[in-house]
Amino acid sequence: MEYDFDLVTLGAGSGGVAASRRAASYGAKVAICESVRVGGTCVLRGCVPKKLLVYGSHFSDDLADARGYGWTIGESTFDWGKLIAAKDRELDRLNAIYLRLLRDAGVRVLDGRGTIVDAHTVEVAGQRFTAKHILIATGGWPVMPQIPGIEHAITSNEALDLKALPRRVVIVGGGYIAVEFAGIFHGAGAHVEVLVRADSILRGFDQDVRSTLREQMAKRGISIRSETLVRSLEKEADGSLSVRLTGGELLSADVVLYATGRAPNTKGLGLEAAGVNQDESGAVVVDEWSRTSVPSIYAVGDVTDRINLTPVAINEGRAFAESTFNNRPMKMDHHGVPSAVFSQPPVATVGLSEEQARLIHADVDVYRSRFRPMKHTLSGRDEQTMMKLVVERATDRVLGVHMVGTDAPEIIQGLAIAVKCGATKAQFDATVGIHPTAAEEFVTMRDPVPVTP
């Protein structure tokens, strides 16, 4: 059978674009469907705009810290609208780059949301196209609980486009999105309260990471309430919002941001009719080759709910293209993937947490260091850095590396290579540190932390 395309990709985010471009570079005839703008969550609604706002909000710290270094700075003002406008210009530039990259690769962009008709047919804006292979790369989307008044809340999507800075922000959720936006709004000058259903923030991360970040956020004046549930939201006559907690307490806010998770963006794709299996969360079920229950249909990225990180989606997409269009079988290795949280201060981690390691390995040694960064010896800021190594005693292999503090993502990226290569604690110890840096602490921690009964 002759098809219109060798590959039709649903979703022009990082994973879909990476797979489509690489497939086209091997001579495949490729089309990609997108109903909004090219770039996906990372470029348009996540990583990039969020980190630009992190940079912008952090200047409040930088201006305050400058006094300790002899700088006298006059009255400063902050214009949230200008920051948002600058962010939007950068997103326009990136969108144009993505479109050019696809065009230069020979990928045809189909405007509209694609739906799957059958194993080899996709419908876009009322027009049907046949394809030898179909790739689902539609990503994820924020989800909110169905409580009274939830229509008055916003998600991270809308938070990135607020025209004015709210004075009071209530953030519901304790994951990475919640703590990142807490830092952004607080740094910009808003009063921030974070409501967490669990015992603390960043569930699933190493316990020392969780407790350290919470302490540092509290020092900055961000209120974090554990084991707190919202019963309802109410819009007041002055436009403010009342947040009623399950215990009856009432909080007031100008904006309520729900950061309570994301779900695979699979609704309305026609997966059920096409026979594509999904799990209970709606994620597309795939094998190690990213193949679905239908042999001609594949899926990569957040829509599969494996590891929801942009570089993972890109690597899954490239592995799919190499395997399918370059006769070079390749699988994405989902072990030892580093990640970062761009909170203030930031978090970065790779490998196992202490809690995970103790469940898997009989004997584990933990090395931990807490210290005041050199920068703040003069700035006077009360901020601590925490670094941690988790080591398997029998083999001396480093199982996990964790950090909370300035430049944590930049430092852990390099150490992730060592963890991926199976480096030992002895090899860390044999590495000469760069002085004076925070990073040298990772190669100078000599004594394990005593195990408490």
Side-chain angles (χ1 to χ4, degrees):
M1 180 177 176
E2 194 164 319
Y3 300 99
D4 297 324
F5 295 96
D6 298 306
L7 171 66
V8 171
T9 300
L10 277 60
S14 298
V17 168
S20 299
R21 288 181 60 209
R22 184 156 293 204
S25 74
Y26 296 133
K29 187 178 181 182
V30 182
I32 191 167
C33 317
E34 181 53 61
S35 59
V36 195
R37 292 197 296 171
V38 171
T41 295
C42 179
V43 173
L44 302 174
R45 297 175 295 278
C47 323
V48 172
K50 182 178 59 185
K51 192 167 185 184
L52 292 175
L53 298 192
V54 169
Y55 281 140
S57 66
H58 196 271
F59 272 97
S60 58
D61 279 5
D62 298 333
L63 291 171
D65 292 346
R67 299 188 193 102
Y69 286 88
W71 289 87
T72 300
I73 298 173
E75 183 180 357
S76 60
T77 59
F78 172 64
D79 189 325
W80 173 270
K82 285 186 177 179
L83 175 60
I84 296 299
K87 178 266 297 181
D88 289 342
R89 288 193 296 273
E90 175 61 8
L91 299 195
D92 289 341
R93 186 184 74 86
L94 293 174
N95 178 63
I97 289 174
Y98 268 65
L99 286 169
R100 176 176 56 79
L101 290 173
L102 288 169
R103 182 180 64 249
D104 291 350
V107 177
R108 180 179 171 183
V109 178
L110 304 175
D111 295 325
R113 181 175 171 81
T115 58
I116 298 174
V117 178
D118 59 39
H120 295 283
T121 308
V122 170
E123 183 172 311
V124 186
Q127 189 173 359
R128 293 192 173 188
F129 302 90
T130 58
K132 185 176 182 180
H133 303 282
I134 296 171
L135 177 65
I136 305 167
T138 48
W141 201 256
V143 293
M144 295 193 290
Q146 293 307 303
I147 63 170
I150 194 65
E151 67 273 11
H152 302 306
I154 65 171
T155 69
S156 56
N157 289 354
E158 296 79 32
L160 293 166
D161 292 322
L162 289 174
K163 300 306 179 187
L165 176 67
R167 291 184 302 109
R168 302 164 300 171
V169 180
V170 168
I171 299 176
V172 184
Y176 71 95
I177 294 175
V179 298
E180 288 173 338
F181 274 102
I184 289 169
F185 284 122
H186 179 266
H191 173 75
V192 179
E193 291 191 80
V194 180
L195 310 182
V196 187
R197 182 179 62 180
D199 63 324
S200 192
I201 56 175
L202 294 185
R203 183 166 58 90
F205 281 73
D206 185 274
Q207 185 58 45
D208 281 318
V209 168
R210 301 175 72 196
S211 59
T212 301
L213 180 61
R214 180 168 184 158
E215 291 167 5
Q216 301 311 307
M217 290 175 67
K219 286 180 183 179
R220 290 169 175 265
I222 297 173
S223 171
I224 301 175
R225 301 190 182 205
S226 300
E227 299 176 345
T228 302
L229 294 173
V230 177
R231 189 168 74 191
S232 64
L233 304 176
E234 300 167 28
K235 188 99 169 185
E236 302 297 340
D238 62 359
S240 66
L241 296 173
S242 292
V243 183
R244 190 170 297 279
L245 306 182
T246 51
E249 185 179 355
L250 206 60
L251 306 178
S252 294
D254 299 302
V255 163
V256 176
L257 166 61
Y258 262 79
T260 48
R262 297 171 64 84
N265 191 15
T266 52
K267 290 182 180 178
L269 290 183
L271 302 185
E272 296 85 355
V276 176
N277 290 341
Q278 300 168 254
D279 67 16
E280 59 278 1
S281 71
V284 179
V285 178
V286 294
D287 64 13
E288 58 188 349
W289 301 98
S290 294
R291 184 186 293 110
T292 74
S293 53
V294 179
S296 60
I297 301 177
Y298 295 75
V300 299
D302 292 6
V303 76
T304 66
D305 200 21
R306 286 177 282 184
I307 298 178
N308 297 340
L309 295 171
T310 294
V312 172
I314 291 172
N315 278 278
E316 289 172 353
R318 288 174 175 169
F320 155 75
E322 290 290 339
S323 302
T324 309
F325 298 102
N326 194 35
N327 195 30
R328 186 181 171 216
M330 183 182 294
K331 294 180 287 188
M332 166 69 192
D333 182 1
H334 292 89
H335 295 94
V337 174
S339 63
V341 180
F342 293 100
S343 48
Q344 299 183 38
V347 168
T349 180
V350 62
L352 300 179
S353 68
E354 178 183 347
E355 295 74 29
Q356 291 168 333
R358 293 195 185 281
L359 288 174
I360 299 171
H361 300 278
D363 294 301
V364 172
D365 286 329
V366 171
Y367 299 79
R368 184 176 58 233
S369 178
R370 302 180 194 271
F371 58 92
R372 189 182 199 179
M374 184 177 182
K375 175 183 178 181
H376 296 316
T377 59
L378 296 189
S379 76
R381 181 173 297 280
D382 182 15
E383 183 172 293
Q384 292 282 308
T385 287
M386 190 282 295
M387 294 179 169
K388 183 173 183 177
L389 294 175
V390 180
V391 179
E392 183 184 15
R393 187 178 302 164
T395 63
D396 198 41
R397 185 165 58 97
V398 177
L399 302 173
V401 184
H402 310 276
M403 179 176 174
V404 180
T406 303
D407 295 327
E410 307 294 342
I411 293 170
I412 294 297
Q413 179 65 83
L415 293 179
I417 301 172
V419 173
K420 194 73 172 176
C421 292
T424 63
K425 180 63 168 61
Q427 290 170 325
F428 271 58
D429 294 342
T431 302
V432 177
I434 300 173
H435 184 74
T437 65
E440 68 178 316
E441 194 74 14
F442 275 120
V443 298
T444 58
M445 289 189 276
R446 294 291 179 257
D447 299 316
V449 177
V451 178
T452 56

